[in-house]
Amino acid sequence: MPKEKIIFKVIGMHCVSCAQTIEKDLNKLEGVKANVNFASEKAFIEYDPERVDIEKIKKVIRDSGYDVIEVEEAKGIRKVSLKVSRMDNPHCARIVERALRKTKGVIDVKTEFTMERVVVTFDPNKVKLHQIIKAIKDVGYETREETSLERERELREKEVKDLKKRVIISLAFSIPLLYFSMGWMLGLPVPFIENASLQALIQLLLSTPVVIAAFKLYSSGAKSLIKLTPNMDSLIFIGTSTAYIYSIAVSIAIWFGIEGYGIHNLYYEIAAFILFFILLGKYLEAITKRKTSFALEKLIGLQPKKARVIKNGKEVEIPVEDVEVGDIVVVKPGEKIPVDGIVIEGSSVVDEKVITGESIPVVKRKGDKVIGATINKSGMLKIKATGVGEETALAQIIKIVEEAMASKAPIQLLADKVSLYFVPAVIVIAILAFIFWFFVAKMPFIFALTVLISILIIACPCALGLATPTAIMVSIGLGAERGILIKSAEILETAHKVDTVIFDKTGTLTKGEPSVTDVIANKSYERNEVLRLAAIAEKGSKHPIGEAIVKAAKRMKIKIPKASNYETIAGKGVKAKYLGNWILVGNRMFMKENGIEIKELEKEMRRLEEEGKTTVIVAWRKKAIGIIAVADTLKEFSKEAVEELHKMKKEVAIITGDNERVAKAVAKQLSIDRVLADVLPADKAKEVKRLQEKGKCVACVGDGINDAPMLAQADVGIAVGSGTDIAMETGDIILIKDDLRDVVTSIDLSRYTVRKIKQNLFWAFFYNIAAIPIAAGVLYPFFGILLNPMIAATAMAFSSVSVVLNSLLIKRYKPKVR
């Protein structure tokens, strides 16, 4: 049975060590492969439903000490969160729950009256969402669907508000504590300074609320220590609780009149101010981290909520979730198109920027594809739904982006490994430093304790854990906004290493359909007349060359009258009778068989054929009157993309099943370095492998369908989509727009992101490497400098914030081409 995927939002992670603990516990489960991302606070889980169920996975997360909510539900079953107005007490909750449980198809109901919320698990094959909403309305309550985005945003806001409250409480008590404990050093009048017992009591009463405000850190740190998986909170717990408990012991000694102890031995203000700075850092971190997932929130927010469909000849507004494939959807000017579909009536201009990143609106007529979440700008459209729910382009984009954000780049594995061993190592270093200063150097206990606390506090690996995932999240979100879907963090990191880019020819560098490129007439005829006569003979032709000739004539607004006696001679050409004379359009053999002399045109024909073009001769009244050349023309921006890749010192190759002459002609136009011609689709992957064996890092660009083996073999497979065609299994990067300049942007965005990650990791490593020796007191024998634990706490808090802010600067990235 194939594996299924699910994403959880994990509540209560305080640092990268928390994420590693959860990940390790989940991966112990049989049939589970988990990836936990601290920056996005999400667990991306691939599991075998025959070996493990979702509830067991949730239990493991909860047993690790964290809460969890589902972002993406199991296949076949839906879970929806509904806001229910006025369901604010247990009695109302019971009424709503009873009504829902009576509804056929409802599997489970959980009410949260304090949040005016009900979570309903149901089988969408047996009951629709609008029927569930109706069941609630029938018992007297107003309700609406609450999206996972709203729930996540609510949780984030709740976390920020909670941290803000704790910061205010800790600051409110820390400032007077600092005044009572250290004001006398600044010559400030401090009441009861002579009464040590009262001073100790005041400082205890002022510091205790700060400890209570930081209780979550204590409980998390203590749990991790008990489980022998110490995290950042464990360092804070050991450091501050040591100072706090030691100060309580000194206070008891003062109260009992034991000699040798006074207020100068109290450490309450150190514990309190460290906790204040830690909470302040977490508050600022929560605010900045919230911005890293902005792109994904923006994408989810694009999803339309309602759709207007035709039912029994009438327009009916229904929830977009209830639209089915084949439904006729009406979209008026200014409205969002709710689903993917095909225009069956009307014409309009549609703004597709939200999906493709393309700023110029696109004209849509009958037969054209439209994408859900794009905006109908002018006329009314009737659309036949072809993609609904999880099958829409937007839903697929959100899924790809979310999975990519949850993935880990290879460079992050190094940081994770360091973080895993870092916390236990720091505890050992702190204890050894304490032993050295107290027992070996014979320094006072307070001095050794200061060193211990400073090391524990300053050495937090939080910045190290945030360095990579925050940058990855911002970059993948930025790419999605520009119509570039990067499927994993690994690919985002790999793309900048590419030194060879191979383009498939047909449909990638070229349009994939022949177009008329040249019309050459002999001295007696005009070019338009040659094209007109050829179009008359080719009218109704199903051959690609014939269709190209007719299209060219129509584009020139040439009238194409009817002829008679149409005849197609396979492999040679066509003929038709017009105004009593025969028109012949075909190759040399066809002309020779019909006694048409072509000597005058032979030189031009050879020239055009050397350029990789296919030529046909047009004859009228038993005389050759001209040549029409047809070729698969280059896509817009193909040349610009290749030029930019050359500027980036990348080798560019073309691969095609066409003959070498045609391939070389295209390569010459684009200044491509290497030509791989006469290659069958099955052999394209072998050509890529051959280059890789020579040490090349290869990116392949193709349409993602015919080129699947080649894209899969490449180090980076880049699939060129076309708006709705983004659910390609092959292709590590999907370009939604048919614009090859995005190949350049993908590689350059990778380069820019990796540079930011390296900056983050450098400062995170440098900070810890430099900070620990200073905290351990190496400067004290030479300069008399000992790091104050409060300064250590401030530095630690702002190191994490600075890493996230540096990652957010990725939003300023400007593409190399546009």
Side-chain angles (χ1 to χ4, degrees), residues 17 106 306 341 345 365 401 513 524 544 605 688 724:
S17 302
V106 170
K306 300 283 184 182
E345 190 181 311
R365 298 186 181 89
V401 171
E513 55 181 46
S524 307
M605 284 177 70
V688 175
T724 56

Side-chain angles (χ1 to χ4, degrees), residues 266-548:
L266 296 175
Y267 241 39
Y268 287 118
E269 77 283 358
I270 294 292
F273 258 87
I274 286 171
L275 291 172
F276 161 68
F277 283 122
I278 300 293
L279 288 169
L280 177 63
K282 285 195 171 290
Y283 171 62
L284 295 173
E285 191 182 301
I287 292 170
T288 49
K289 266 169 65 181
R290 186 172 55 184
K291 293 177 183 176
T292 61
S293 58
F294 175 73
L296 184 59
E297 289 185 10
K298 195 173 169 185
L299 280 173
I300 296 170
L302 293 173
Q303 293 174 311
K305 302 288 187 291
K306 300 283 184 182
R308 192 182 291 103
V309 299
I310 296 176
K311 298 275 186 186
N312 302 319
K314 291 182 180 178
E315 287 183 19
V316 183
E317 194 170 76
I318 62 171
V320 74
E321 297 85 4
D322 294 339
V323 179
E324 295 176 358
V325 172
D327 280 352
I328 306 303
V329 181
V330 179
V331 188
K332 294 179 178 177
E335 292 181 343
K336 279 185 182 180
I337 295 170
V339 293
D340 294 356
I342 296 170
V343 177
I344 59 167
E345 190 181 311
S347 65
S348 183
V349 173
V350 174
D351 183 351
E352 295 184 337
K353 186 178 181 180
V354 292
I355 300 293
T356 65
E358 183 57 65
S359 57
I360 300 168
V362 182
V363 176
K364 298 289 180 181
R365 298 186 181 89
K366 188 177 178 180
D368 289 341
K369 289 180 180 179
V370 289
I371 312 168
T374 56
I375 300 167
N376 180 21
K377 300 290 281 185
S378 51
M380 190 177 83
L381 295 173
K382 281 188 181 177
I383 297 158
K384 186 176 183 179
T386 57
V388 298
E390 292 181 0
E391 300 305 314
T392 62
L394 180 62
Q396 290 163 25
I397 290 169
I398 290 166
K399 190 174 181 182
I400 289 168
V401 171
E402 202 159 32
E403 287 183 9
M405 283 181 171
S407 65
K408 285 185 181 178
I411 200 169
Q412 189 181 339
L413 299 176
L414 169 66
D416 285 357
K417 199 168 277 186
V418 170
S419 296
L420 192 64
Y421 298 107
F422 193 77
V423 174
V426 166
I427 294 170
V428 171
I429 290 167
I431 292 167
L432 290 174
F434 177 85
I435 291 168
F436 171 79
W437 287 111
F438 187 62
F439 293 103
V440 179
K442 305 293 183 185
M443 296 298 285
F445 178 79
I446 291 293
F447 184 98
L449 185 64
T450 300
V451 168
L452 174 88
I453 294 169
S454 294
I455 293 172
L456 290 171
I457 298 304
I458 203 163
C460 161
C462 211
L464 203 58
L466 288 168
T468 303
T470 51
I472 294 289
M473 285 172 67
V474 176
S475 292
I476 285 170
L478 184 71
E481 284 179 12
R482 296 178 182 276
I484 300 167
L485 298 183
I486 301 163
K487 283 189 172 182
S488 73
E490 184 177 356
I491 289 302
L492 182 62
E493 185 186 329
T494 305
H496 83 287
K497 299 175 186 173
V498 165
D499 52 32
T500 305
V501 182
I502 301 176
F503 287 95
D504 172 53
K505 181 182 81 72
T506 309
T508 303
L509 284 171
T510 64
K511 290 178 180 174
E513 55 181 46
S515 300
V516 171
T517 57
D518 303 83
V519 179
I520 294 169
N522 68 15
K523 293 172 185 177
S524 307
Y525 285 84
E526 295 290 327
R527 289 170 67 251
N528 277 13
E529 182 63 10
V530 172
L531 186 59
R532 186 178 82 91
L533 288 166
I536 291 168
E538 296 282 7
K539 193 173 184 180
S541 170
K542 297 299 177 188
H543 193 280
I545 291 175
E547 288 177 339

Side-chain angles (χ1 to χ4, degrees), residues 14 23 54 102 139 160 199 206 229 258 296 301 357 363 441 530 536 545 617 686 700 744 765 789 797:
H14 297 293
E23 192 173 291
I54 291 173
K102 286 179 184 175
V139 290
V160 169
Q199 268 290 328
L206 287 171
T229 54
I258 299 171
L296 184 59
V363 176
V530 172
I536 291 168
I545 291 175
I617 303 147
K686 290 177 186 173
C700 286
V744 179
F765 274 115

